Amino acid sequence: MVGSVAFDTLKTPYGERKKILGGAATYFSLSASYFTDVRVVAVVGEDFTPENEAVMTKRGVDTRGIQHAKGKSFHWTGEYGENVNEAKTLNTELNVFETFQPSIPAEYNNSDYLFLANIDPVLQARVRDAMKDVKLVGGDTMNYWITGHRPQLAQMLKRVDVLLINDTETKMLAADNSLPRAARAVMDMGPRALVTKHGEYGATIFFRDGQFGTGHHPFRAPAMPIDEVRDPTGAGDSFAGGFMGYIASQGEINRRVLKHAMFYGSVMGSFAVERFGTERLQSLSREEIDERFNTFRELTHLD
Amino acid sequence: MVGSVAFDTLKTPYGERKKILGGAATYFSLSASYFTDVRVVAVVGEDFTPENEAVMTKRGVDTRGIQHAKGKSFHWTGEYGENVNEAKTLNTELNVFETFQPSIPAEYNNSDYLFLANIDPVLQARVRDAMKDVKLVGGDTMNYWITGHRPQLAQMLKRVDVLLINDTETKMLAADNSLPRAARAVMDMGPRALVTKHGEYGATIFFRDGQFGTGHHPFRAPAMPIDEVRDPTGAGDSFAGGFMGYIASQGEINRRVLKHAMFYGSVMGSFAVERFGTERLQSLSREEIDERFNTFRELTHLD
């Protein structure tokens, strides 16, 4: 996976934290590490400590692709109000991330699965093209690229098998307020499947006709009704980690696998928000994950 | 069921209609009529025509409890923007509904199930007390009663087995922004189960501990990803009709029945919004309903 490693300074109704380890790459890697081997490509600054790196390596994450640059790491400052689905960004210091040029270690070349977290679509496309032999490419993007970098995003979308974005981004990308219609329009731009994330209401995967098997219906995974969403940061990246990690752990890619991946993605997202930062994702067990998977099944299955 | 029969003048992104038949009683009855016999208690004015009544009687609905009063029927005027979950009320003419005193025909006394649609909680409580032998009482309310009529609402809540309201109302009623915590607080006010409706994201039923069987988990039914929500009016009442109607069609009331009722409620809500007013609910078949039920199953079930 390629993405950002960052420090987050944030405030939620449950408290505040200063410069805690975050970033899409961190959340994604920790989450996916419960299912498969993970290799990260990212950039950090001189403020990134061996203790920070150990958070990932303890979970077996391969960090050889993390470049150490002069200067400071990406630093995001934001807060969440009562509506935990919406972050308010107070400050974004890109720092070393501003000039990030992903460099893929030779040891990563035989990777079968690739996830392009939310970075410049030009870089996403370049990484994808460098990884010729991957079986499946997942990708993320955000409103910034949708509104201001359309041509570059179009090139990236042609290179992604499964795009994972939220409802608002889906509607914005398609310029259509009907979610299922917007989903079809987005898939016409390239992705063979689209995962739209609904925050506390779960997520839906739409399939392009004839892709990943037959059938016309989308599939919806619930989110957990959680008493206290302490810190929503990284929920989407944790979802992506569970989703991609589970797929990578299976021998084949079909609708059945993708449906289960939706559940595992939702499960990992639900764990991530229970504590601040990556705390909860550092100390899970596969048993806890499967127990919650079964809870999700009970939550949605009639029999 | 007791509730309002109304005329609706409304505008949605798909068109506008003037004084079309609506009201909770109308949507609920038509929806429930596909599952069980329905008896209505309501009030209408002199502008309510035999053709209006025939919409209900054609579906076998017992309308002997509809009082005909001097004056005009309840008339709601409103519009929906791009966010179909939120209606903007432009005008409410209560007319004959303002002095509505529900009167229950003797022939209704042996009813086993009762639904109290959104009317004055004092009237809801009175109707519930008059129907001594019912097995299950469902009820609805709205922000107007929650903010301004708390003591009366408290009395009504003690008399309801299953309350069906939306997310915002649940959080408002409990004065708590955490949905599962708010749900528990609402059930502490009386209801043995709470159905919170999430609009386009479906609905969740929470159970009070030890009620309707064992288990700690809520249950979530999806909504249909629909290309065009032409008119969201009545979706909640159609949900309630499918929910209560299905329960009434079963011999017993347990979690399995309530879970299936959630699906049928969601199915009926999804049909209601496909066309303006009650049009779609007038012409359904049980086969279409069960076909969509199966679609909902495919939408959510892993296997």
Side-chain angles (χ1 to χ4, degrees):
Chain A
M1 80 86 58
V2 57
S4 60
V5 170
F7 289 111
D8 294 334
T9 293
L10 53 91
K11 196 174 168 181
T12 84
Y14 295 95
E16 44 193 302
R17 295 290 186 279
K18 277 190 180 148
K19 290 200 83 176
I20 54 173
L21 183 62
T26 315
Y27 283 101
F28 180 97
S29 304
L30 291 175
S31 176
S33 74
Y34 291 93
F35 303 91
T36 191
D37 293 331
V38 190
R39 296 158 166 178
V40 185
V41 171
V43 64
V44 295
E46 291 155 306
D47 49 357
F48 187 78
T49 65
E51 289 74 29
N52 292 142
E53 189 147 353
V55 166
M56 288 187 252
T57 52
K58 269 189 197 158
R59 288 289 323 145
V61 175
D62 189 335
T63 57
R64 284 177 292 180
I66 298 186
Q67 307 160 34
H68 293 256
K70 284 216 166 177
K72 286 188 176 182
S73 302
F74 184 9
H75 180 206
W76 178 79
T77 305
E79 67 179 29
Y80 300 87
E82 287 295 349
N83 179 356
V84 292
N85 293 333
E86 279 174 40
K88 186 181 168 191
T89 293
L90 298 173
N91 199 19
T92 302
E93 299 158 64
L94 291 173
N95 299 328
V96 298
F97 195 64
E98 192 158 12
T99 52
F100 177 40
Q101 291 294 334
S103 162
I104 303 157
E107 300 90 340
Y108 286 16
N109 278 334
N110 64 345
S111 300
D112 285 326
Y113 300 87
L114 171 66
F115 184 70
L116 307 165
N118 169 39
I119 59 172
D120 186 332
V122 173
L123 301 182
Q124 290 177 313
R126 202 174 295 159
V127 171
R128 196 272 167 263
D129 289 344
M131 302 291 290
K132 288 193 179 60
D133 299 326
V134 294
K135 291 185 200 168
L136 187 87
V137 182
D140 187 10
T141 189
M142 71 181 294
N143 49 5
Y144 176 77
W145 308 112
I146 295 171
T147 51
H149 295 70
R150 276 290 173 135
Q152 297 82 354
L153 189 60
Q155 291 305 313
M156 173 269 194
L157 289 173
K158 284 183 191 155
R159 291 164 166 81
V160 166
D161 295 298
V162 184
L163 184 71
L164 294 91
I165 53 181
N166 68 31
D167 283 20
T168 312
E169 290 156 353
T170 303
K171 292 173 180 178
M172 190 185 285
L173 190 47
D176 191 328
N177 264 297
S178 154
L179 185 64
R181 222 165 41 200
R184 289 197 300 273
V186 169
M187 290 187 288
D188 283 344
M189 300 174 195
R192 299 159 60 199
L194 171 71
V195 176
T196 55
K197 293 169 285 179
H198 318 309
E200 61 177 314
Y201 300 117
T204 303
I205 184 166
F206 295 90
F207 301 101
R208 184 133 58 92
D209 272 355
Q211 295 292 327
F212 301 114
T214 55
H216 295 293
H217 298 306
F219 179 75
R220 186 165 281 187
M224 185 81 180
I226 289 174
D227 276 20
E228 299 185 349
V229 174
R230 285 174 192 273
D231 176 11
T233 315
D237 299 310
S238 304
F239 183 105
F243 180 84
M244 292 294 296
Y246 177 79
I247 292 171
S249 75
Q250 301 297 303
E252 46 182 347
I253 309 164
N254 54 38
R255 291 206 181 187
R256 191 175 181 282
V257 168
L258 289 170
K259 287 177 182 184
H260 281 74
M262 288 292 288
F263 262 57
Y264 278 110
S266 210
V267 161
M268 298 311 289
S270 78
F271 278 122
V273 303
E274 285 182 353
R275 308 243 185 97
F276 277 87
T278 58
E279 193 186 330
R280 192 71 181 98
L281 293 187
Q282 292 180 39
S283 59
L284 281 168
S285 68
R286 188 59 197 256
E287 290 67 38
E288 285 178 290
I289 291 168
D290 286 325
E291 198 183 339
R292 185 155 295 181
F293 183 95
N294 289 331
T295 299
F296 273 49
R297 188 191 277 269
E298 280 187 55
L299 190 65
T300 51
H301 285 49
L302 289 162
D303 307 298
Chain B
M1 80 85 58
V2 56
S4 60
V5 170
F7 290 110
D8 294 334
T9 294
L10 53 89
K11 196 174 168 180
T12 84
Y14 295 96
E16 42 191 306
R17 294 289 186 279
K18 276 191 178 147
K19 290 200 81 175
I20 55 171
L21 183 63
T26 314
Y27 282 102
F28 180 97
S29 304
L30 291 176
S31 176
S33 73
Y34 291 93
F35 303 91
T36 189
D37 294 330
V38 189
R39 296 157 166 178
V40 185
V41 171
V43 63
V44 294
E46 291 155 305
D47 50 356
F48 186 79
T49 65
E51 289 73 32
N52 292 143
E53 190 147 353
V55 166
M56 286 188 253
T57 52
K58 267 190 199 156
R59 288 289 322 145
V61 175
D62 190 336
T63 57
R64 285 176 293 181
I66 298 185
Q67 307 159 35
H68 292 257
K70 284 215 167 179
K72 285 188 176 180
S73 302
F74 184 8
H75 181 205
W76 177 79
T77 304
E79 65 179 30
Y80 301 85
E82 287 294 349
N83 179 354
V84 293
N85 292 333
E86 278 174 41
K88 185 180 169 194
T89 293
L90 298 174
N91 199 20
T92 303
E93 300 159 63
L94 291 174
N95 299 327
V96 299
F97 195 65
E98 191 157 14
T99 53
F100 178 38
Q101 290 295 333
S103 164
I104 302 156
E107 299 91 340
Y108 286 16
N109 279 334
N110 64 345
S111 301
D112 285 327
Y113 300 87
L114 172 64
F115 184 71
L116 307 165
N118 168 40
I119 59 171
D120 186 333
V122 173
L123 302 181
Q124 290 177 312
R126 201 173 295 160
V127 170
R128 196 273 165 263
D129 289 345
M131 303 289 292
K132 290 193 177 60
D133 300 325
V134 293
K135 291 186 199 167
L136 188 86
V137 182
D140 187 11
T141 190
M142 71 182 291
N143 50 6
Y144 176 78
W145 308 112
I146 295 170
T147 51
H149 295 71
R150 275 292 173 134
Q152 297 83 354
L153 189 60
Q155 291 304 312
M156 174 269 194
L157 290 173
K158 284 181 190 155
R159 289 164 167 83
V160 166
D161 297 297
V162 184
L163 184 70
L164 293 92
I165 53 181
N166 67 32
D167 283 19
T168 312
E169 290 157 354
T170 303
K171 292 174 180 176
M172 191 186 284
L173 190 47
D176 191 329
N177 264 297
S178 155
L179 186 64
R181 221 164 44 201
R184 288 197 300 274
V186 168
M187 290 188 287
D188 283 343
M189 301 174 193
R192 300 157 60 199
L194 171 71
V195 176
T196 54
K197 292 168 287 180
H198 317 312
E200 61 176 314
Y201 300 117
T204 303
I205 185 165
F206 295 91
F207 302 100
R208 183 132 58 90
D209 271 354
Q211 296 291 328
F212 302 113
T214 54
H216 296 293
H217 299 307
F219 179 75
R220 187 163 282 186
M224 185 82 180
I226 290 176
D227 275 19
E228 299 187 348
V229 174
R230 284 175 192 273
D231 175 12
T233 314
D237 299 309
S238 304
F239 182 106
F243 180 83
M244 292 294 295
Y246 176 78
I247 293 171
S249 75
Q250 302 298 301
E252 48 182 348
I253 309 165
N254 54 40
R255 291 204 181 188
R256 190 174 183 281
V257 168
L258 289 170
K259 287 178 183 184
H260 282 74
M262 288 291 289
F263 262 58
Y264 278 110
S266 210
V267 162
M268 298 310 289
S270 77
F271 279 121
V273 304
E274 286 183 352
R275 308 245 183 99
F276 276 87
T278 57
E279 193 186 330
R280 192 72 180 98
L281 292 187
Q282 291 181 40
S283 59
L284 281 169
S285 68
R286 188 57 198 258
E287 290 67 37
E288 285 178 291
I289 292 168
D290 286 326
E291 197 184 338
R292 186 156 295 182
F293 182 95
N294 288 331
T295 299
F296 273 49
R297 186 190 278 268
E298 280 187 56
L299 192 64
T300 52
H301 285 50
L302 288 162
D303 308 299

